[in-house]
Amino acid sequence: MRRLSFNHAQGQVPGPGTLLAGLLLLLVAGVLLAVYNQLAADNAALQQQVQARQAMIAPAGAAPDKVALASKQASSAELAQAQAQIQTPWLPLLNTLEKVQQPQLYWMQLAPDAKRKHIRMTVLAPHRKQGWALVERLKQQPGLADVKLNTSESTDVNGVIMTTLQLEAGWRY
């Protein structure tokens, strides 16, 4: 069996410049650690002073907190009332509109008004008859009431003449 011979260079002891640089870096790290510890202690003392001052001010500020709490409760009650009035039954409304959808019709706008239970729609149709058929299909839907065609006009959309329909309907959800 052959003997393996590793050809490697012998290690050398670092020179005095490298040793001096290492010791200098170690000394700087120690100084930075001492400065960090001093800053952390000063920060803790300042936080205690701030908490003590806030504790002295807190009894005098107790009355405005009650007023602020009352105003927050009043605004949250108003917000809850507004949310109850604004709630729109999106799922049943969109399901009803999907039932009457045709591939050539393009829904451009749906604007519901939850207070009046009313929706305004803008639809693009390639032919006027398709728009009128949409109105008839909407009138047959049990979830919609008072379906009206407000306006019907021809519109140029990218060089194609389309019919723009403005519709209104009420919902029963």
Side-chain angles (χ1 to χ4, degrees):
M1 191 181 260
R2 282 177 61 189
R3 184 175 177 159
L4 294 176
S5 171
F6 293 103
N7 185 9
H8 64 278
Q10 291 290 330
Q12 295 180 355
V13 176
T18 307
L19 184 61
L20 186 61
L23 288 175
L24 183 64
L25 285 175
L26 188 61
L27 179 66
V28 167
V31 169
L32 287 177
L33 182 63
V35 168
Y36 174 77
N37 286 336
Q38 181 62 36
L39 289 175
D42 291 344
N43 187 23
L46 287 174
Q47 284 181 353
Q48 287 178 353
Q49 288 176 0
V50 167
Q51 288 176 355
R53 287 185 183 177
Q54 285 178 347
M56 289 187 329
I57 295 173
D65 287 340
K66 291 179 182 177
V67 172
L69 180 62
S71 71
K72 283 182 183 179
Q73 288 175 348
S75 65
S76 65
E78 289 175 5
L79 182 63
Q81 183 182 9
Q83 285 177 341
Q85 291 176 353
I86 294 175
Q87 288 180 346
T88 303
W90 280 109
L91 290 178
L93 194 57
L94 292 176
N95 285 334
T96 300
L97 295 177
E98 284 179 356
K99 289 178 186 175
V100 297
Q101 173 62 18
Q102 286 182 334
Q104 297 89 9
L105 297 177
Y106 301 99
W107 297 87
M108 301 303 291
Q109 178 186 20
L110 297 175
D113 182 3
K115 278 185 179 178
R116 297 182 348 187
K117 292 189 172 185
H118 185 264
I119 185 167
R120 286 180 291 131
M121 300 167 268
T122 304
V123 181
L124 281 177
H127 303 289
R128 192 173 304 268
K129 290 181 182 179
Q130 288 177 331
W132 293 337
L134 172 67
V135 173
E136 293 303 318
R137 286 194 308 275
L138 285 171
K139 285 181 180 180
Q140 294 172 359
Q141 294 301 313
L144 297 178
D146 300 325
V147 177
K148 298 175 192 168
L149 174 62
N150 288 340
T151 62
S152 172
E153 63 183 42
S154 294
T155 308
D156 183 7
V157 179
N158 296 330
V160 178
I161 301 299
M162 302 281 285
T163 302
T164 303
L165 305 160
Q166 299 287 331
L167 305 163
E168 286 186 10
W171 69 73
R172 296 179 182 148
Y173 307 113

